[in-house]
Amino acid sequence: MSRKYNAKQTRENIIETAIQLFMEKGFEKTSMQDIANTLGISKGGIYHHFKSKEDIIDIVRENKANSVEAQLNKWRETIKAQSAKEELIAILEKNITDQQAHSMDEVFRTQMKSPDFIVSMMKNSIDSSAPAFAQIIKEGIEDGSITTNYPEECAEVFFLLINIWCDPVIFQADPEKSYKRLQFVQEMMKSMGIDIVSDKVIEETADLLKKLYPEAYDQKE
């Protein structure tokens, strides 16, 4: 007796296999046929679930965005802070160094010239990342470590600037310009009563951008 077809499991297997191949071979060098061959199914079996590689990437990005709150709560369990402000500083620093948080960076960076992908990132920043961040800002207002009147708005603008404006592919910049943009975000948040962007975060974010986008910086130097 043949096993019953499980559409959900097949879809999950396709996503998992595609991610593995994207990370090993690179997004551009991975074909739908490669994914099918690795899974041992027909290419038509993949097209039944996904229209293209870009469609798979969109699902992966969406799943990651939906897990932001869970990841944030996981970090909060390990952080010992005296105030919400200290906790946010620690979270930002942890986000830079956490390998799992950046496991898909190399794959996502290949899509940074796609307008649809950028719009999706912007939407996810507002819908997923910002609300969880804003909640901790509100806790900081309550404990007196943060003084802003605009917790939601500051959280939204922060993620839009960090994820979109500071990206040297979306808005071209050399290392010096990127660094100044990060400093601006630091000063902007500080002026709004949310002094949470440490010099360490700026340094490590700048280093991460250099690692992710060497070709973008090479073109400007």
Side-chain angles (χ1 to χ4, degrees), residues 152-180:
E152 292 93 351
E153 293 78 7
C154 284
E156 291 172 358
V157 170
F158 173 77
F159 281 103
L160 287 175
L161 292 179
I162 287 292
N163 292 338
I164 306 298
W165 184 57
C166 289
D167 190 293
V169 171
I170 301 174
F171 292 100
Q172 290 188 349
D174 57 25
E176 182 180 358
K177 191 172 185 65
S178 289
Y179 197 87
K180 285 185 176 180

Side-chain angles (χ1 to χ4, degrees), residues 64-200:
K64 184 175 181 180
N66 291 337
S67 67
V68 166
E69 186 172 0
Q71 180 64 69
L72 195 61
N73 289 334
K74 181 180 178 181
W75 286 340
R76 296 188 74 179
E77 291 176 0
T78 65
I79 293 172
K80 305 300 180 183
Q82 298 299 313
S83 67
K85 173 184 171 180
E86 289 183 8
E87 188 172 26
L88 281 172
I89 293 172
I91 286 171
L92 290 178
E93 293 178 352
K94 196 171 188 65
N95 177 62
I96 296 296
T97 58
D98 190 283
Q99 293 185 353
Q100 184 177 354
H102 296 279
S103 61
M104 291 298 295
D105 284 356
E106 290 288 345
V107 177
F108 288 152
R109 80 183 184 93
T110 64
Q111 303 302 299
M112 286 305 183
K113 292 185 179 180
S114 166
D116 289 341
F117 190 83
I118 293 170
V119 170
S120 295
M121 280 189 61
M122 293 173 66
K123 190 173 188 305
N124 285 336
S125 293
I126 298 299
D127 294 344
S128 301
S129 300
F133 208 67
Q135 179 55 45
I136 306 179
I137 292 176
K138 291 176 182 178
E139 294 174 17
I141 295 172
E142 292 180 2
D143 68 29
S145 61
I146 291 174
T147 59
T148 187
N149 293 320
Y150 305 97
E152 292 93 351
E153 293 78 7
C154 284
E156 291 172 358
V157 170
F158 173 77
F159 281 103
L160 287 175
L161 292 179
I162 287 292
N163 292 338
I164 306 298
W165 184 57
C166 289
D167 190 293
V169 171
I170 301 174
F171 292 100
Q172 290 188 349
D174 57 25
E176 182 180 358
K177 191 172 185 65
S178 289
Y179 197 87
K180 285 185 176 180
R181 285 175 178 172
L182 292 169
Q183 287 181 313
F184 172 83
V185 174
Q186 180 187 48
E187 288 298 318
M188 181 200 71
M189 295 296 285
K190 184 176 181 179
S191 70
M192 294 301 296
I194 314 177
D195 186 11
I196 59 173
V197 183
S198 67
D199 290 340
K200 180 180 178 180

